[in-house]
Amino acid sequence: MTISTRFAPSPTGYLHVGGARTALFSWLYARKHGGQFVLRIEDTDLERSSAESVNAILEGMTWLGLEYDQGPFYQTHRFDRYNEVIQQLMDQGLAYRCNCSRERLDTMRDEAMKQKAKPRYDGHCRNQNIDPNEPHVIRFRNPEDGVVVVDDLVRGRVAFQNAELDDLIIRRTDGSPTYNLTVVVDDMDMEINVVIRGDDHLNNTPRQINILRALGQDSPKYAHVPMILGDDGARLSKRHGAVGVMQYREDGFLPEALLNYLVRLGWSYGDQEIFSLDEMIELFDIDAVNKAASTFNTEKLLWLNQHYIKSSDPARIAHLLSPHMGKLGIDPSQGPDLVEVVKVQQERAKTLVEMAEISAFIYKDFAEYDAKAAKKNLRPADRKPLEAALEALTQLEEWTRENLHQTVEQVSAALELKMGKVAQPLRVAVVGRAASPGIDDTLYLVGKQASVRRIQRALEFISQREQNA
Ligand code: GLU
């Protein structure tokens, strides 16, 4: 049997972290079993769905590399099919028209609430044979007794009494089918045999199984994955900085870091933290997903991102870094090869945004000195080493790393200073702050003209400082 899983988001917002993890688990399960992964857009709620959100979901899936084998299917394109199935249920006496008024339903609900019971529809219209020309909804005739047992791959065995369920609406007065009906028809038609989704849907599962049974279908296997919490224990939301996955790209995360982070959210394999995609596919198992909710931890995501930045091919990182440089107003083609920059910065940044920020000085003059760095390293006492370095560097003909290294060494020796006493003022002069790659790499990448100009600027800064003293 071919395994088929699906991801079935409602396009009412971004592809958020929770959705992305559900998609990843479904995708991994399909890949692991050589199966099919289907993308289905559940857009029947016309008021809350938007084309923008569909695009955000598709874009997020593409960025994460969760490619689907079938779809995207849109539920709004399948209304004829849903109506066909509703008609079939009607013909078999498994569904019926109901014209109970809002007041009647509200009174019933209030009564139930008073008695602290679950509000349930009482089956009033079950045998009424309502005129089809009257406004009406259609309800599914849920079995009155018996138990629906769900052997959930994550939650284990969960049993629901039919007596607790009621006859749910499968078509609204306006003719539109409801969620539980469309999901059942789609899972059936798309031959989905493993449904992996958020555990907020667990209570829908017995209803869906009953409809499937009425249609003479076996139910798929289910895996309800627990929700993700923020570090304060509340359900993960925007308040925790949880946003659409594309925001992570904006913020300088690599897709493989986010995937690796998401796979570990509720799943573990010994104490392994780093998983390549191939390893995830090989080792992931839905049975091993935790029942308990997991907590989102931004520090860990940053740690993984740094790991992937460090260990990725510099050319790829350069390619991904380029747009972040662009956002700082830098065109990396007007300066040293970005790959060379990545090579010296790869160990120094947790995100691409940070890498762009700490690399900007290579392409353009910084606006002002970091106050602390200037105070410490552009003092009157630093004038001498800076002047000596300026002279030596101005005369340097070949601007190579080796020559730069030697120059700094020679200047230090001539002044009988430790190398750091020359390199650090030079660094602050050229970078504007106290941290940068090695001084030879730094000077090399900044280039002769800009280095000379900035050292002159630092000397002026020192002069002003002297005057103000
Ligand atoms: N469309 C539903 C949602 O976005 C998911 C339905 C399902 O997976 O069965 O929550």
Side-chain angles (χ1 to χ4, degrees):
M1 186 182 65
T2 310
I3 293 288
S4 290
T5 66
R6 53 30 166 218
F7 177 50
S10 304
T12 55
Y14 300 113
L15 175 60
H16 51 80
V17 172
R21 185 186 57 161
T22 306
L24 172 63
F25 284 1
S26 305
W27 181 85
L28 283 174
Y29 197 85
R31 289 292 168 271
K32 184 182 178 75
H33 293 95
Q36 296 278 304
F37 175 58
V38 176
L39 177 63
R40 180 167 85 221
I41 306 289
E42 303 206 322
D43 55 351
T44 54
D45 184 341
L46 300 179
E47 264 171 35
R48 295 180 61 227
S49 301
S50 71
E52 219 182 318
S53 167
V54 171
N55 286 338
I57 291 167
L58 299 180
E59 206 187 3
M61 299 284 287
T62 305
W63 180 60
L64 290 172
L66 301 177
E67 78 284 7
Y68 28 94
D69 307 298
Q70 290 178 48
F73 296 113
Y74 294 85
Q75 290 193 322
T76 43
H77 299 176
R78 290 176 43 80
F79 275 30
D80 288 350
R81 173 64 183 143
Y82 304 137
N83 279 322
E84 190 176 88
V85 173
I86 292 169
Q87 190 56 49
Q88 183 188 333
L89 290 167
M90 288 290 289
D91 292 346
Q92 294 175 324
L94 296 167
Y96 61 91
R97 289 185 283 276
C98 163
N99 67 349
C100 285
S101 65
R102 172 111 319 268
E103 294 75 53
R104 180 169 190 279
L105 297 173
D106 285 348
T107 313
M108 214 156 45
R109 172 169 312 123
D110 293 347
E111 277 303 308
M113 298 294 240
K114 256 188 231 154
Q115 292 170 20
K116 298 208 165 35
K118 248 207 224 148
R120 291 177 66 243
Y121 178 65
D122 63 354
H124 179 263
C125 292
R126 271 192 160 210
N127 303 307
Q128 301 280 344
N129 211 4
I130 309 296
D131 181 348
N133 295 315
E134 259 188 64
H136 63 269
V137 299
I138 293 182
R139 289 184 184 270
F140 172 66
R141 199 183 286 272
N142 199 75
E144 285 168 282
D145 5 78
V147 192
V148 184
V149 173
V150 184
D151 278 313
D152 193 275
L153 295 171
V154 173
R155 304 283 293 245
R157 176 161 288 205
V158 194
F160 299 85
Q161 299 292 331
N162 271 322
E164 297 271 309
L165 306 173
D166 63 357
D167 292 348
L168 80 146
I169 297 174
I170 54 176
R171 191 165 80 186
R172 300 183 189 91
T173 316
D174 66 6
S176 62
T178 60
Y179 160 72
N180 279 298
L181 187 277
T182 58
V183 164
V184 162
V185 175
D186 287 349
D187 285 342
M188 172 176 81
D189 288 357
M190 296 166 194
E191 300 181 349
I192 302 299
N193 40 32
V194 183
V195 168
I196 299 172
R197 62 184 172 194
D199 67 0
D200 47 333
H201 287 291
L202 185 60
N203 285 328
N204 288 317
T205 306
R207 299 171 179 282
Q208 293 176 11
I209 292 176
N210 281 333
I211 302 177
L212 280 165
R213 279 191 193 150
L215 293 167
Q217 299 288 322
D218 290 336
S219 40
K221 286 187 183 157
Y222 293 92
H224 287 92
V225 300
M227 60 182 168
I228 303 173
L229 304 178
D231 47 17
D232 56 357
R235 194 187 183 111
L236 192 68
S237 69
K238 276 203 185 131
R239 201 158 43 80
H240 302 101
V243 280
V245 295
M246 296 315 283
Q247 185 65 42
Y248 287 97
R249 182 174 73 173
E250 291 288 294
D251 293 346
F253 287 88
L254 303 183
E256 57 268 40
L258 191 56
L259 285 177
N260 193 150
Y261 180 71
L262 292 175
V263 81
R264 284 283 291 102
L265 211 49
W267 173 76
S268 55
Y269 186 80
D271 37 21
Q272 187 169 339
E273 292 289 354
I274 312 276
F275 294 86
S276 68
L277 264 193
D278 286 343
E279 276 176 313
M280 282 187 210
I281 294 171
E282 192 194 322
L283 302 173
F284 176 76
D285 213 325
I286 194 75
D287 307 7
V289 169
N290 226 312
K291 277 197 210 61
S294 18
T295 305
F296 198 84
N297 178 342
T298 308
E299 283 306 310
K300 190 141 171 218
L301 173 58
L302 279 167
W303 177 80
L304 280 166
N305 203 47
Q306 183 163 34
H307 163 81
Y308 282 102
I309 288 179
K310 269 194 228 172
S311 51
S312 293
D313 174 17
R316 172 160 180 271
I317 298 294
H319 176 70
L320 299 174
L321 178 65
S322 186
H324 295 286
M325 300 299 288
K327 278 191 217 152
L328 299 178
I330 291 164
D331 172 1
S333 69
Q334 307 296 310
D337 184 354
L338 201 50
V339 179
E340 293 302 311
V341 174
V342 169
K343 282 183 186 160
V344 300
Q345 298 286 31
Q346 230 166 345
E347 302 267 341
R348 312 177 66 90
K350 288 195 169 89
T351 69
L352 298 174
V353 167
E354 189 186 346
M355 193 185 280
E357 277 164 6
I358 62 170
S359 304
F361 77 91
I362 295 170
Y363 295 89
K364 67 172 187 191
D365 288 350
F366 51 89
E368 53 190 30
Y369 297 108
D370 171 77
K372 228 168 110 189
K375 188 161 179 229
K376 192 160 170 228
N377 294 112
L378 298 181
R379 298 160 308 166
D382 299 306
R383 169 184 289 288
K384 230 180 169 173
L386 278 178
E387 277 173 349
L390 177 63
E391 197 187 329
L393 291 172
T394 310
Q395 281 164 17
L396 194 64
E397 275 171 17
E398 268 182 274
W399 199 258
T400 62
R401 287 180 164 94
E402 299 71 45
N403 288 352
L404 288 163
H405 185 84
Q406 257 182 23
T407 306
V408 178
E409 221 169 36
Q410 283 163 1
V411 170
S412 317
L415 297 175
E416 294 182 358
L417 289 171
K418 280 195 192 142
M419 221 172 128
K421 293 275 178 213
V422 178
Q424 200 55 11
L426 260 182
R427 172 172 285 116
V428 178
V430 170
V431 181
R433 42 181 151 184
S436 81
I439 193 66
D440 38 356
D441 284 331
T442 299
L443 292 168
Y444 173 73
L445 289 167
V446 168
K448 183 168 183 175
Q449 228 187 1
S451 295
V452 165
R453 184 172 66 236
R454 292 183 199 173
I455 298 167
Q456 283 163 344
R457 173 181 166 189
L459 287 167
E460 280 161 32
F461 177 87
I462 294 175
S463 299
Q464 270 175 11
R465 200 168 158 173
E466 283 165 342
Q467 278 165 24
N468 294 341

